[in-house]
């Protein structure tokens, strides 16, 4: 704070809210003073961010979800001033997937193969926003192999047959 001009200058070294009181004194006789409480919010660029996570150990890197398989994912804000709210600010979710703006959670079962592009926007309590652009790819359900055992009874004779099957 420059005592001659009242200018507040410099470079902040950490983010946060800083409250302080400024006092001005004149040169008259008798001396008069005035005080004013104020605060300064320091938010470095990029301090508020949002990241959406869809890929899990169950999915190969090229897919976000599988057709007909229940899906859950989430977006999380960081930095800024919690609590956060979320919105789909552009694009379209995949058919069968819904989004909760209060929690940033995705859920549902994809009903259509393909890629959907959309943008998730997070907003903190001081109306700062951050976005994450998503290309959400729904892939075909992987094949599942298994052994099916069929038991049939005919004329008092029991027949047991095992068959190896692959279900797409």
């Amino acid at each position: 704070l420059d005592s001659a001009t009242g200018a507040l200058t410099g470079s902040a070294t950490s983010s946060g809210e800083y409250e302080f009181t400024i006092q001005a004194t004149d040169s008259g006789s008798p001396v008069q003073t005035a005080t004013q409480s104020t605060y300064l919010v320091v938010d470095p660029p990029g301090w508020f961010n949002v990241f959406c996570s869809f890929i899990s150990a169950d999915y190969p890197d090229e897919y976000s979800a599988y057709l007909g398989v229940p899906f859950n994912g989430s977006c999380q804000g960081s930095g800024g001033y919690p609590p956060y709210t979320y919105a789909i600010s552009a694009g379209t979710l995949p058919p069968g997937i819904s989004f909760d703006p209060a929690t940033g959670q995705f859920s549902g079962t994809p009903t259509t193969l393909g890629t959907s592009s959309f943008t998730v926007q997070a907003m903190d309590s001081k109306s700062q926003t951050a976005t994450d652009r998503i290309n959400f790819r729904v892939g075909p359900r992987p094949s599942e192999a298994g052994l099916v055992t069929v038991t049939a009874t005919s004329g008092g004779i029991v027949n047991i047959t095992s068959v190896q099957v692959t279900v797409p």
Side-chain angles (χ1 to χ4, degrees):
L1 178 63
D2 185 315
S3 62
T5 65
L8 186 61
T9 60
S11 297
T13 58
S14 62
S15 59
E17 289 187 31
Y18 301 92
E19 188 171 342
F20 53 95
T21 302
I22 297 175
Q23 178 176 309
T25 305
D26 71 8
S27 60
S29 181
V31 173
Q32 302 272 331
T33 62
T35 59
Q36 176 68 47
S37 292
T38 190
Y39 71 96
L40 175 67
V41 177
V42 177
D43 291 331
W47 188 53
F48 180 55
N49 197 10
V50 62
F51 174 73
C52 299
S53 175
F54 300 121
I55 304 299
S56 74
D58 297 338
Y59 303 135
D61 289 341
E62 68 265 22
Y63 298 123
S64 298
Y66 290 125
L67 181 68
V69 177
F71 171 81
N72 289 297
S74 66
C75 294
Q76 294 193 333
S78 62
Y81 300 92
Y84 310 118
T85 56
Y86 304 87
I88 303 299
S89 61
T92 306
L93 292 174
I97 300 295
S98 62
F99 179 71
D100 183 345
T103 63
Q105 300 292 309
F106 291 87
S107 62
T109 302
T111 59
T112 305
L113 291 172
T115 300
S116 296
S117 297
F118 54 92
T119 300
V120 175
Q121 176 180 288
M123 183 183 301
D124 73 1
S125 63
K126 297 209 185 254
S127 298
Q128 295 183 105
T129 60
T131 59
D132 192 5
R133 179 88 174 136
I134 308 299
N135 288 317
F136 191 103
R137 185 164 179 225
V138 176
R141 184 176 185 151
S143 297
E144 295 179 21
L147 192 61
V148 175
T149 302
V150 179
T151 303
T153 304
S154 176
I157 299 173
V158 177
N159 291 310
I160 299 175
T161 303
S162 295
V163 179
Q164 181 74 32
V165 297
T166 300
V167 179

